[in-house]
Each structure stands twice: as C-alpha cells, then as structure tokens.
Amino acid sequence: MIKYAEIGTKGKNRYVFEDILCKKLRARLKPLGAFEVRREYGRIFVEAKSAFDYDEAVGRMSKTFGITGICPVWEVEQPTPESVDQRVAEYFAEEYDDYHFTFKVHVRRRDKEFPVHTMEMEARLGGVLLDRFEEQGLSVDVHDPQVMVEVEIRNKAYIYSKVLPGPGGLPVGTNGKAISLLSGGIDSPVATWMIAKRGVEMQAVYFHSPPYTSERALEKVQDLGRIVARYAGPIKLHIVDFTKLQLAIYDHCPHDELTIIMKRYMFRIAQEIAKREEADCIVTGESIGQVSSQTVFSLGVIDHAVECPVYRPCIGLDKQEIVDISEKIGTYETSIQPYEDCCTIFVARHPVTKPTLAQIEESEKKLVGIAEPIYEEALNTARYIWLK
Ligand code: ATP
Ligand code: MG
C-alpha cells in the first residue's frame, strides 16, 4: 500500500495526480516482473503477480516522487472479526522475532457493515496480541508505542506496521517541464533533483568546452544525470559545444566579467533549448554568495539575459546543506571526482562582484558581429542523449 501526502490536497485534480503516480509506478516496476498497480479508496495498491526482487522493487518505489510511504501489507480477503484476529496474530508471528517492545492497534473501519466497532476492534486485537506474545515481552503503550499496528477494514482488510519512507514531493509530469543547467559539480544535480521532486519533468544542458574540458568531465555529468534520473525519470541531456563562444568572450570582454558574460550566454542557449523542447523554465544550482558570480547583483544581471523564469532551488542553502542532500540522493561521490569545469578554467583572478546591467551590456557590445554566428553554431550543433 502506497501512501502519498500532498496529492490528497489537490481537490478535483486529485485523480490526475493519482493516475500519473500509478503510471510512473507501473513504468518503474515493469522491468522487475508482473505488477498490478491500482487506485482504491484514495490509496494506491501495488500487487506483485509474479516472482520479483523485493529490495529492488522497494528501492524503485522509494525513489518515486509523490510517495511518502511504502507499507508492506497483509490482506484478509473477506474480513470477519475472527479472521482479522487470526491474521493479525499470524502477521505478528511472521514479521517479528523479538517481542520486547510496546505497541498499539489502530483500526480504520471503512466498511460500516463490519459488525465490531472501531474502538472495540482495537481493544480486541490488542488482547489477541497480548494473549499470544505478552510472555515474550510484548506490552501496550497507547500514548507512545514503538510499533503501531494498523488495520484498515474495507471489502478486504489490510494489516501493516512498517512504513518504508518515500521521497515525498509530487509525481513527475504534474508540473510542466524544465531545462536544468547541469555541470559536474555538487550543486546542480541537487537543484535538478529538487525541482523534479516538485513534479517537474527535467531535461538538462551541459556546456562542454573541449579541449579545455575532457571527455571524462562530460561522462561525469552523464553519470550524475543518471543518478538523478533514478528519481526524476529519463532525462534528455543536451550537450552544447561552448569552446568557441568562451574564447570569443575571453578575447573581447574584460576578464573580470568573464564568468557573468559566459553565464548569460549559457542562459540564452538554455532558453532556446527550452523553447524547442516546450519547457517552461530553466534551473541552476546557484546559491547566494557562494562565489563571486553568485552575488545578488551578479545573479540579477545574469537573469536579464533571458525572459523565461529561472529557478534556483539551492538559493538559500549553505554549502553543507547542499552536500547533505547530495549525499542523501547519492550524487556526492560522483560530484567530487576531480574533473574540470569550463567555468573554473576561464575564470578571472578578481571577478566583479557588483556588476551592473549597463556595464555588462556595454561589454557584450564588443561581441556584436562576432558572437552571433558562433552562438548559432553552438545551438545548431547541440546533440543530446537520454539518461536513464
Ligand atoms: P555546481 O556545483 O552545480 O557546478 P558551482 O558552485 O560550481 O555549481 P558555478 O560554476 O558558478 O557554481 O555554476 C553555477 C551554476 O551554473 C551551476 O550550478 C550550473 O547550474 C550552471 N553551470 C555551470 N557550469 C556549467 C556547465 N559547464 N554546463 C551546464 N551548466 C553549468
Ligand atoms: Mg561548477
């Protein structure tokens, strides 16, 4: 039984969200065997119809946005008070080895025909478990139990006491599409993950600068994209050759403004790709003050290069907080591999921290007649691969 939280607050759209979540689950589980995924009374049930790898299936569900909990349940086909008593005792015998803990039974009775009332059924099942396991250490604590035994009674009854955590968020595909600027660093994979978590379908763009950046740096970005794709679903990665543009900027613009002007070109290209792909926004891993190109002044000037919204989910996070997320989602180890990024190669010794739009636009005028064909070429030679 799959638990989901925020979807439940979507009113009339609730079914749309639930259907997308069911579809995502089907797609994720399909390679592992035959599964039935169904929606029933505001819950989603996943039932295996063939042998399957339990850990892999749970692992995939635990990376599916929209899910807050995965509850392995035992079913009672045609519940009667007696059959539920018996099944709860069997469940306990099978699922636990050591009974030195406190518990409480919580019953949800959707089937109002069921002859025993909720509180009475809770007391009754508590009694059944105590009779059987009290001597082995089991005791009741109604205020702060270590184990909560949940019994939901509908046309079937469902018994569970363990909830494996899901990633939360909203199902991918319920909130438009974004192009994420994905570099090989720590921040942008986290940013990509955070926006995907809110239900946005992600594509990515990487600016490649051979021979200044190696093939290995590109592979690293692909590896990172694949890790994020375990959560976000397949990611189309656009690879843009950025070398000529960078050299032109380097040759014609003040060196203390290089990073800002480069970023503005990255944003312009990302916006073009977003238009082609019918994406609604761009995403970056920037965070206020982390480096000189990420002061509020610099970020403001960079934003003026494009019309589409720019989302920066790491904006208010400290580096350590971003690192914590990257460790949690599994990108950290890959991110810290030492392959160079184009921004670190063409970087000025004393970059501007308080640029103005007028100043940067003035510098960019030096590229008139030079940058346009290179820019067009970069766009026209962009290639893509799917990361799964
Ligand atoms: P990250 O850890 O994500 O690499 P960073 O702290 O190194 O970020 P910058 O190098 O200033 O910061 O880059 C800021 C953002 O710009 C990155 O988070 C990423 O979204 C984008 N970016 C930088 N370089 C590239 C690149 N080569 N290709 C695509 N996006 C890039
Ligand atoms: Mg970087």
Side-chain angles (χ1 to χ4, degrees):
M1 188 172 79
I2 301 299
K3 290 193 165 176
Y4 45 90
E6 261 178 83
I7 302 179
T9 66
K10 300 293 170 193
K12 277 189 195 154
N13 285 336
R14 177 185 173 127
Y15 293 107
V16 177
F17 282 75
E18 288 170 337
D19 283 343
I20 291 179
L21 182 52
C22 287
K23 256 188 219 144
K24 295 285 161 194
L25 280 168
R26 283 186 201 111
R28 290 256 155 120
L29 295 172
K30 199 171 176 195
L32 304 181
F35 291 87
E36 184 186 79
V37 178
R38 61 175 192 273
R39 203 167 41 133
E40 233 173 71
Y41 323 101
R43 295 261 193 227
I44 288 171
F45 290 91
V46 176
E47 196 174 327
K49 299 287 190 185
S50 70
F52 69 105
D53 180 337
Y54 181 87
D55 291 337
E56 180 66 25
V58 169
R60 287 182 182 216
M61 290 189 273
S62 71
K63 290 186 172 66
T64 304
F65 292 130
I67 293 178
T68 55
I70 303 148
C71 315
V73 295
W74 280 39
E75 282 184 356
V76 187
E77 280 293 338
Q78 280 163 343
T80 60
E82 295 72 27
S83 65
V84 174
D85 287 352
Q86 193 190 336
R87 200 78 173 127
V88 166
E90 284 167 9
Y91 169 84
F92 240 63
E94 183 78 24
E95 290 289 321
Y96 294 94
D97 301 321
D98 179 349
Y99 296 90
H100 289 90
F101 57 81
T102 60
F103 81 105
K104 174 186 174 178
V105 180
H106 179 230
V107 170
R108 247 177 275 227
R109 198 173 57 109
R110 290 286 152 82
D111 177 5
K112 300 298 174 202
E113 309 277 286
F114 193 77
V116 181
H117 286 248
T118 305
M119 299 223 332
E120 206 182 314
M121 196 63 198
E122 287 175 348
R124 174 178 168 135
L125 289 171
V128 166
L129 291 175
L130 279 180
D131 279 353
R132 178 107 178 245
F133 301 104
E134 192 168 22
E135 274 175 17
Q136 296 170 58
L138 191 66
S139 59
V140 172
D141 182 344
V142 289
H143 301 295
D144 189 21
Q146 287 165 297
V147 170
M148 187 70 131
V149 183
E150 303 277 357
V151 180
E152 295 198 11
I153 303 170
R154 301 161 170 196
N155 59 350
K156 289 182 188 174
Y158 301 94
I159 303 160
Y160 65 96
S161 63
K162 295 172 184 169
V163 184
L164 313 166
L170 297 167
V172 169
T174 56
N175 243 318
K177 201 188 288 177
I179 303 285
S180 182
L181 276 72
L182 187 62
S183 64
I186 294 171
D187 309 329
S188 51
V190 169
T192 309
W193 180 87
M194 286 174 83
I195 297 297
K197 182 166 182 273
R198 298 305 303 164
V200 182
E201 184 184 331
M202 301 306 291
Q203 294 195 4
V205 55
Y206 171 63
F207 296 93
H208 190 33
S209 305
Y212 304 99
T213 59
S214 64
E215 279 306 301
R216 196 59 197 86
L218 169 59
E219 279 165 29
K220 179 183 171 185
V221 170
Q222 296 177 30
D223 290 343
L224 287 167
R226 281 194 196 95
I227 298 171
V228 176
R230 287 181 208 156
Y231 295 87
I235 294 177
K236 190 175 183 181
L237 172 70
H238 302 265
I239 301 158
V240 176
D241 271 332
F242 201 52
T243 315
K244 284 185 189 165
L245 254 178
Q246 272 185 305
L247 290 173
I249 299 167
Y250 191 81
D251 287 344
H252 296 94
C253 300
H255 285 190
D256 60 350
E257 296 170 4
L258 285 181
T259 320
I260 307 276
I261 297 175
M262 261 165 35
K263 277 276 151 61
R264 281 166 59 88
Y265 275 96
M266 284 187 184
F267 273 42
R268 291 181 180 117
I269 291 174
Q271 174 172 257
E272 283 310 314
I273 294 175
K275 277 185 201 155
R276 269 191 215 165
E277 298 291 337
E278 298 183 340
D280 313 284
C281 52
I282 62 186
V283 172
T284 82
E286 290 155 319
S287 146
I288 290 176
Q290 205 188 74
V291 289
S292 65
S293 58
Q294 298 178 19
T295 63
V296 286
F297 313 102
S298 304
L299 293 176
V301 171
I302 296 169
D303 276 353
H304 275 287
V306 291
E307 282 148 21
C308 68
V310 180
Y311 296 123
R312 299 181 170 93
C314 300
I315 198 75
L317 298 180
D318 295 348
K319 191 74 191 187
Q320 187 57 47
E321 292 172 309
I322 302 173
V323 165
D324 291 346
I325 299 176
S326 75
E327 286 181 327
K328 188 180 85 179
I329 67 176
T331 51
Y332 183 72
E333 288 303 321
T334 305
S335 287
I336 58 172
Q337 288 172 11
Y339 300 104
E340 67 292 339
D341 181 68
C342 60
C343 295
T344 50
I345 292 163
F346 291 86
V347 78
R349 215 168 298 150
H350 300 292
V352 281
T353 52
K354 259 192 161 181
T356 64
L357 183 59
Q359 167 198 351
I360 297 295
E361 281 177 344
E362 198 52 40
S363 303
E364 284 181 357
K365 280 187 190 151
K366 304 198 173 79
L367 292 166
V368 172
I370 299 166
E372 293 86 348
I374 309 174
Y375 175 85
E376 288 302 323
E377 186 188 338
L379 263 175
N380 293 333
T381 56
R383 54 213 155 89
Y384 67 83
I385 46 171
W386 279 98
L387 304 177
K388 296 180 189 178

